Amino acid sequence: MNSAQGPSATCSPGRVLVVDDHAESRGIVTTQLSHLGFQVIEADSAEGCLTLIDGAENPRVEGVVLDLQLAMPDGHNLLSDLRRRHAGIPVIVVSELTDVGRAREAIRLGAQEYLVKPFDLELLRSKCLRVFMRRIEQNCPC
């Protein structure tokens, strides 16, 4: 598969959950992931995220793009919950904060990548492809 393209035609596109309490930011990430061929679901809160992942309908999620600056509970708490409940789901964290300590903390808590807002859209796409496609390929029966 060409890594500049989206998910392989032999495997179904992965579903990615975008968690951000700002509709505009969530929409930008959703649009970029959709253009890459990912199926995107959205949540505007930690509770919404956990309901989608843990809920009765439990859609299979291949990755999460998480804004650390969620309203309470904050993104760090949600990241900890995701690692505890679903350790295999890769998480890419985005934040407006350039604080190196917060970035280190997010990586320590299990985030695979950290992007500072506003981020370059090509950088977002390449990181999402690299991180989420690895999981899709590991789970693909082909």
Side-chain angles (χ1 to χ4, degrees):
M1 180 189 83
N2 178 347
S3 63
Q5 299 173 359
S8 166
T10 58
C11 291
S12 62
R15 183 174 289 127
V16 175
L17 174 57
V18 177
V19 186
D20 195 322
D21 53 0
H22 292 100
E24 185 177 344
S25 295
R26 202 171 53 244
I28 290 168
V29 175
T30 295
T31 298
Q32 296 304 309
L33 293 174
S34 294
H35 286 308
L36 292 172
F38 290 104
Q39 298 172 3
V40 182
I41 55 176
E42 300 179 21
D44 63 0
S45 66
E47 295 83 12
C49 170
L50 294 173
T51 297
L52 283 169
I53 292 178
D54 294 338
E57 295 178 21
N58 193 11
R60 180 179 176 90
V61 174
E62 301 298 343
V64 175
V65 177
L66 169 63
D67 178 16
L68 276 187
Q69 294 172 272
L70 290 175
M72 295 308 289
D74 70 12
H76 276 98
N77 289 334
L78 177 55
L79 180 56
S80 293
D81 283 350
L82 287 172
R83 294 300 74 184
R84 188 173 55 256
R85 296 177 185 196
H86 304 282
I89 298 175
V91 177
I92 295 175
V93 166
V94 296
S95 177
E96 292 178 354
L97 300 175
T98 58
D99 180 355
V100 174
R102 288 184 61 90
R104 281 190 191 129
E105 178 67 7
I107 298 298
R108 186 190 68 74
L109 289 172
Q112 278 69 29
E113 292 285 349
Y114 188 97
L115 288 166
V116 176
K117 292 180 182 180
F119 42 77
D120 176 78
L121 295 179
E122 184 56 39
L123 183 60
L124 169 71
R125 288 188 295 265
S126 67
K127 287 183 182 282
C128 287
L129 278 173
R130 183 177 49 77
V131 171
F132 300 148
M133 288 308 298
R134 184 179 311 139
R135 176 165 163 95
I136 291 167
E137 290 167 356
Q138 288 172 346
N139 294 321
C140 185
C142 41

